[in-house]
Each structure stands twice: as structure tokens, then as C-alpha cells.
Amino acid sequence: MTPPLKPWLPIPTDSDFSIYNLPFGIFSTQGDMRRPGMAIGDHIVDLRALPAVSLQDIPGIDPEVFSKPTLNDFISLGKPVWQAVRQQVQQLLTDENSPLRTEYAQALIPMKKATMHLPVRIGDYTDFYSSLEHATNVGTMFRGKDNALMPNWKHLPVAYHGRASSVVVSGTPLHRPRGQMMPPDAAQPIFGQSRALDFELEMAFVVGKDSALGQPVTIQDAEEHIFGFVLFNDWSARDIQKWEYVPLGPFLGKNFGSSMSPWIVTLDALEPFRVASPKQEPEPLPYLQTVGKYNFDIQLEVLIQAEGKESAVVTRSNFKHMYWNVCQQLAHHTVNGCNIKVGDLMASGTISGQDPQSFGSMLELTGNGAQPLHLPGGSTRKFVEDHDTVTMRGFAEKEGMRVGFGEVSTKILPAV
């Protein structure tokens, strides 16, 4: 067994940002520019301040990427560079004689003095529908138990192309959307603000390597194109979506906003938490077949806080439940020759488990509003209300190692 890593910087035992994690993000401080950093405990390692220490010796490195307002240029340098930077910073944080403790101590920025920003420039965003439990729950609700899954669902990772322009970082409020809806038993649709605003508990991966137009990414090569993962809330206006989605799928019910956590956790950090995927029946076509551990044991939870009240956990789930894994998602996305680019975002779809307390949306948790949730202070919720704050958290933990994602938190403001 590898000896445990011992950082010289004090780190809370329950911190998501342990020495085993070191995720990448974009931050700024008062009076200074946005720039890349890495999270460690309650601090951020300012990568712009480190090239003079040792990062400049990494083959293929370009120190200019550490002065950019997004991670795209850094990611484009390639996986060997990301790995080398992470390993070098890990060494600087565990070496008792590290220059990061002395002459470069200014490179450690307290998180409370920093503002986090969207970590990548997102060119395209795709949302999958990869949880068997979620698809079954929703399908049963609207089509009945015998027709819960569409005929294609167990043969391919279903997805739609979302709107990259409205993906926002944690802490950015969103307004309740307006659109067309068809009330029950109505003869004509109405226009107004959504009455069924919902969260969707998801994770997403950031593409770390371009592919060429016309050249599919195979299952075997898929992880070479993945930089890392974030928490993701793919907001849904259920009433708008229900009226508009036939025949072409989600539109205004989705594109008003999606929220993501600011820190990107790398595949290397998640390596110890791999688990086997659920058994797939029928067996997928050859280009989608995987052998080995392609899922990740990441514990997830969602909290709702009514304004002025205590927050309450409304669901706990796990990323390991996903029927279609991320490599299958990427292989299917590109099998027709569709190219991907660094910074593209691929969301998992709502993550639900088998237990009702593990469902990943209000639609499922409340039975489409039929069984409201009870929150502290005596209030109830069928769906998310104005001034509610929804927070998602996630972490993996094993043998003394904790790798977390922080949180993605969003307050809902009234419609404009």
C-alpha cells in the first residue's frame, strides 16, 4: 500500500480539497485578474505565482497559460502536462523544505479572499439521460410502467444538445423562466412563469482533448479525452418542458440556465474510487462495450434552503448508479464523426438510485407534486420556489482518502 501523503499545510480532516485531490479552477482576488489555481484545504495555489519555482521545467509547459481567464489553454497542453503540474504541486505541498512555505508563500491564497469563476470556455454542451432508475421513474409517471423506457434506451446513451451560453458557475442566481404551458384539461396553451421549477442532480465531465471531424473516439481512447468532473445542476421547468418536448426534445424548459461547481476534479484524483458499472442487458453493440471499472463511487446530496430558514437535505444518491458510463457516452457522441473540443461539457443526466430517498429531482421525490416535501420551519415544496437556494455536494472517500467537489449552489429569483 502506498504510504499516506502528509502535507505541511494544515487541512481540515473533512475537507473536500485534500492532498489527494488538487482540483483545477479559475479564481480572482480583489484588484487582480482571473487566473488558474488549485484547491488545497481552505487555500488556493496560485499557479501564476509558481512557474519560477519549478513548473517551468515541465516538458511542454507554457507559463503564459497561468495568466489566462479560463483553463482551456492549459488543458490544451495535454494530459502529460496536467499530470506533471498536479504531481509537482503535490510535491511542493508535502516537502517540508518546500519554497511554497517560504519565499513563495504568497502563492497560497485563502479561499475566503477569492472569487470563483466559470473554469472553462464552454463551446458545446450535451446532456445525457443515463440513469436507468431516473428514466424508469419518469417514464412510468408519464407513460405507465409497461412503457416506462423508450425502445432505444437500453441500446444507446440518449442525449440532447443544450445551450452552453447559459451554463453558470456556482453562486450565480437564476430567474424563474417563462414560457408556454398547457394546463391540465385546458383547450389552449397559456404563457407565463413556470410553476414546476425543478433541479436535476447531475455530474458532468470537461473534454480535455480535441477530436477530428469524421474521426470517432473509441471506448479505449475515451478517457484520454476527459480532463475531469464537476457537479452539475441541469435546471428544468417541467411544465414548459412537458408542452414543448414533442417531437424534438428539451428547449425553453432547459436552456434558461444550468449550474456547475467551480473546481474540476481530475480523473487521476478519482482513480481510487472506480467501481464496476451495472450489468447491461441486452448487451450493447460492440462499439459501446466496456470491460472493467468505468463508474465512480461518488456520494451526492441535494439541500434546499428556503429564504431565512435552515437548509435541509432532500436526497442522497451516488454517481456509481449510472447505467451508461462516461466512456460509453463519449464513444456514442462521436461515433458518427461528430468532433469534440477542449472545454466542451458533457452532463450525465439526472442521477437517481433505487431508493426513493435517492431520487435526483423534485419530479421524482414528490411524484410530480402529489406528495410535497416537508422543510424546516413547516413549509412544504412540490417544486422549487422563488428565493429558494438549492445546493449540491459530492465527495468520494476510501482508506483515509477524501476527494470532493465542493458545491454548486444557486438561488432562484422571481421571473423578470
Side-chain angles (χ1 to χ4, degrees), residues 114-156:
T115 299
M116 299 306 299
H117 304 278
L118 203 65
V120 289
R121 182 178 62 257
I122 304 168
D124 283 298
Y125 153 52
T126 299
D127 186 40
F128 286 88
Y129 190 50
S130 294
S131 164
L132 175 61
E133 290 78 12
H134 173 68
T136 301
N137 291 340
V138 174
T140 299
M141 224 176 280
F142 295 118
R143 292 185 298 274
K145 188 174 182 180
D146 292 338
N147 296 299
L149 296 180
M150 300 300 282
N152 64 355
W153 200 92
K154 284 193 172 184
H155 294 277
L156 58 87

Side-chain angles (χ1 to χ4, degrees), residues 21 24 46 56 71 92 115 139 166 245 311 318 334 339 345 348 383 391 397:
N21 192 352
F24 292 89
D46 185 352
Q56 81 277 9
L71 290 170
L92 288 168
T115 299
S166 55
Y245 85 102
S311 62
N318 197 299
T334 63
N339 57 322
L345 198 65
S348 63
F383 290 97
T391 299
E397 199 164 30

Side-chain angles (χ1 to χ4, degrees), residues 62-202:
D62 177 4
E64 289 299 314
V65 299
F66 299 130
S67 296
K68 301 291 185 179
T70 68
L71 290 170
N72 294 61
D73 288 350
F74 168 68
I75 296 172
S76 295
L77 295 178
K79 189 171 185 177
V81 174
W82 327 328
Q83 292 177 321
V85 170
R86 182 172 173 272
Q87 290 167 1
Q88 186 62 51
V89 171
Q90 199 171 58
Q91 183 175 334
L92 288 168
L93 288 165
T94 53
D95 182 357
E96 289 292 331
N97 300 313
S98 171
L100 193 53
R101 292 188 81 172
T102 54
E103 64 262 42
Y104 290 98
Q106 75 278 5
L108 282 173
I109 310 293
M111 283 190 178
K112 62 184 179 182
K113 294 185 178 181
T115 299
M116 299 306 299
H117 304 278
L118 203 65
V120 289
R121 182 178 62 257
I122 304 168
D124 283 298
Y125 153 52
T126 299
D127 186 40
F128 286 88
Y129 190 50
S130 294
S131 164
L132 175 61
E133 290 78 12
H134 173 68
T136 301
N137 291 340
V138 174
T140 299
M141 224 176 280
F142 295 118
R143 292 185 298 274
K145 188 174 182 180
D146 292 338
N147 296 299
L149 296 180
M150 300 300 282
N152 64 355
W153 200 92
K154 284 193 172 184
H155 294 277
L156 58 87
V158 175
Y160 74 96
H161 291 285
R163 182 72 182 176
S165 66
S166 55
V167 177
V168 298
V169 74
S170 176
T172 306
L174 291 173
H175 288 276
R176 180 176 297 272
R178 295 181 185 271
Q180 284 194 28
M181 296 155 283
M182 177 64 85
D185 303 320
Q188 295 290 333
I190 63 171
F191 175 81
Q193 57 182 299
S194 172
R195 302 168 186 173
L197 183 59
D198 200 357
F199 65 79
E200 291 194 2
L201 173 59
E202 304 192 20

Side-chain angles (χ1 to χ4, degrees), residues 255-282:
N255 68 7
F256 62 92
S258 299
S259 307
M260 65 182 281
S261 54
W263 294 107
I264 305 176
V265 177
T266 64
L267 268 177
D268 286 338
L270 292 173
E271 191 65 31
F273 309 103
R274 287 182 180 270
V275 293
S277 301
K279 183 176 177 58
Q280 295 183 324
E281 293 180 331

